[in-house]
Amino acid sequence: MWGLVPLFWPLLEPAAAVEILAHRMVWSLAAVGLVLLVLRRWSWIRPLLRQPRRLGMIALAATVISVNWGLYIWGVNSGHVVETALGYFINPLVSIAFGVLLLRERLRPAQWAAVGVGVVAVAVLTVGYGKPPWIALTLAFSFATYGLAKKRVGLDGLESLAAETAVQFLPALGFLIWLGADGGSTFASEGAGHAALLASCGFVTALPLICFGASAVRLPLSTIGMLQYVAPTFQFALGLAVFHESMPPERWAGFALVWLALALLTWDALRTARRARRALADAAARAGVLSATVEADVIPGADVVPEAVVPEAVVSEAVVSEAVVPEAVVPEAVVPEGAASDAAVPDTRPGPISGG
């Protein structure tokens, strides 16, 4: 769904990007609030209001996702669909960089190689565009910051989006009221169909998030990690096939390097996950063998097996080190913009992506 969002924003013209953004904030709160009302999920509100630090993180998340949403809408409606897709391709690399710089996470060689290739890709694209791809970089860094803030908040996707849009609601509503009084609003002047499309911004934001939450509990993490690239791939294809944006050779070269970096990340994540599963299986088998051996050696007639005889778990240090997968291993949701989406930080797994 997120990959098809670029087809929706042009339908809202002649509304400007900032008016579309304000409607998205207002109607998203209405849509998510309705879903929470149906599900009766309100118990999280009172504890949250007693925690100023988490409220501060929610305010930060609301601020950076506002930048992300607004720039994404403007980019799509201004003929930069391909560059917006690039931003969500780059996002996992930025998330990993945040993990190293802010959370002191340690990277494996393949991850370092991917980050290095990503830096080279940005340099090549800077040459290709004649300037840094600032739309892509702003989208990537804002969404990575958003993911980091959401990680600190620790709310589920729907609850988190509700809290963030509650922060956005009053400023957005105030802007829309001022815009209407000033005669610049298109909500009432362009017909009922246009007003309905603006109101549907909330469901365009909430519906993909709900579907993501439902799939996240049913699909393996590795599958979700790879699915995060589907949305920017669709966006990229739409930019070329539907919006007919140009792609000179140097831009193809830059995108190819980005895709190489993502391929390295995906390969490393799958390999690490496979090793972790094998290590845990070996540890379980070894513990089972030792337990069976202890039972066979129990002295006949003894009612109690001495505590020191039965190992709680025997896992070698090497096995443990292989079994633990660092948080930044599986790149998080690029669930491009539409996502709020929890795609994107050091825990880069596709959390609800609310970008897009």
Side-chain angles (χ1 to χ4, degrees):
M1 293 182 186
W2 284 311
L4 299 177
V5 168
L7 297 175
F8 176 72
W9 303 126
L11 300 178
L12 304 182
E13 294 178 331
V18 66
E19 182 182 0
I20 297 173
L21 174 63
H23 277 286
R24 184 177 192 181
M25 293 173 175
V26 169
W27 295 109
S28 290
L29 179 60
V32 177
L34 179 62
V35 173
L36 291 175
L37 180 63
V38 171
L39 298 177
R40 300 179 181 276
R41 285 163 57 174
W42 301 106
S43 60
W44 55 277
I45 296 179
R46 186 170 296 176
L48 178 63
L49 294 176
R50 294 196 293 263
Q51 302 178 58
R53 171 174 276 181
R54 294 180 75 195
L55 290 174
M57 285 292 103
I58 287 173
L60 174 61
T63 301
V64 293
I65 201 58
S66 298
V67 173
N68 185 278
W69 283 358
L71 183 59
Y72 183 83
I73 294 167
W74 178 86
V76 169
N77 286 357
S78 300
H80 300 284
V81 176
V82 169
E83 191 174 348
T84 61
L86 175 64
Y88 292 107
F89 278 128
I90 293 176
N91 177 65
L93 302 174
V94 176
S95 295
I96 288 177
F98 276 16
V100 174
L101 297 176
L102 302 180
L103 302 182
R104 306 298 182 187
E105 294 183 352
R106 296 172 61 185
L107 300 186
R108 294 180 297 279
Q111 292 175 308
W112 278 116
V115 172
V117 172
V119 171
V120 174
V122 172
V124 171
L125 288 165
T126 298
V127 174
Y129 281 99
K131 58 183 179 180
W134 67 270
I135 296 176
L137 292 174
T138 304
L139 289 175
F141 276 89
S142 62
F143 201 73
T145 304
Y146 173 68
L148 180 60
K150 287 176 72 70
K151 181 180 177 65
R152 296 297 178 86
V153 171
L155 287 176
D156 290 338
L158 278 175
E159 287 83 349
S160 179
L161 182 58
E164 293 151 18
T165 51
V167 173
Q168 298 169 334
F169 179 79
L170 287 180
L173 182 61
F175 172 78
L176 290 175
I177 293 173
W178 171 83
L179 193 64
D182 194 51
S185 174
T186 65
F187 184 76
S189 63
E190 296 296 323
H194 179 73
L197 284 173
L198 285 172
S200 67
C201 287
F203 290 97
V204 169
T205 300
L207 184 59
L209 180 63
I210 295 171
C211 293
F212 173 83
S215 63
V217 299
R218 292 172 171 82
L219 296 175
L221 183 60
S222 57
T223 301
I224 295 176
M226 288 184 288
L227 285 177
Q228 70 174 312
Y229 302 123
V230 172
T233 300
F234 267 95
Q235 292 173 10
F236 178 77
L238 289 174
L240 296 182
V242 177
F243 296 95
H244 306 293
E245 296 184 14
S246 63
M247 277 292 289
E250 56 271 22
R251 292 186 192 174
W252 278 111
F255 269 86
L257 288 172
V258 170
W259 293 330
L260 174 60
L262 296 179
L264 286 172
L265 283 181
T266 302
W267 169 78
D268 180 69
L270 293 175
R271 183 186 63 168
T272 304
R274 191 179 306 114
R275 286 182 174 179
R277 288 194 298 269
R278 188 183 305 120
L280 291 174
D282 290 345
R286 189 177 296 111
V289 170
L290 289 173
S291 177
T293 302
V294 169
E295 290 180 4
D297 290 342
V298 173
I299 301 173
D303 294 328
V304 179
V305 179
E307 185 176 349
V309 175
V310 183
E312 291 183 13
V314 181
V315 183
S316 70
E317 183 178 347
V319 170
V320 171
S321 65
E322 286 189 0
V324 176
V325 182
E327 290 187 60
V329 168
V330 182
E332 176 172 18
V334 182
V335 188
E337 195 229 358
S341 27
D342 290 334
V345 184
D347 180 357
T348 50
R349 292 171 297 178
I353 295 186
S354 36

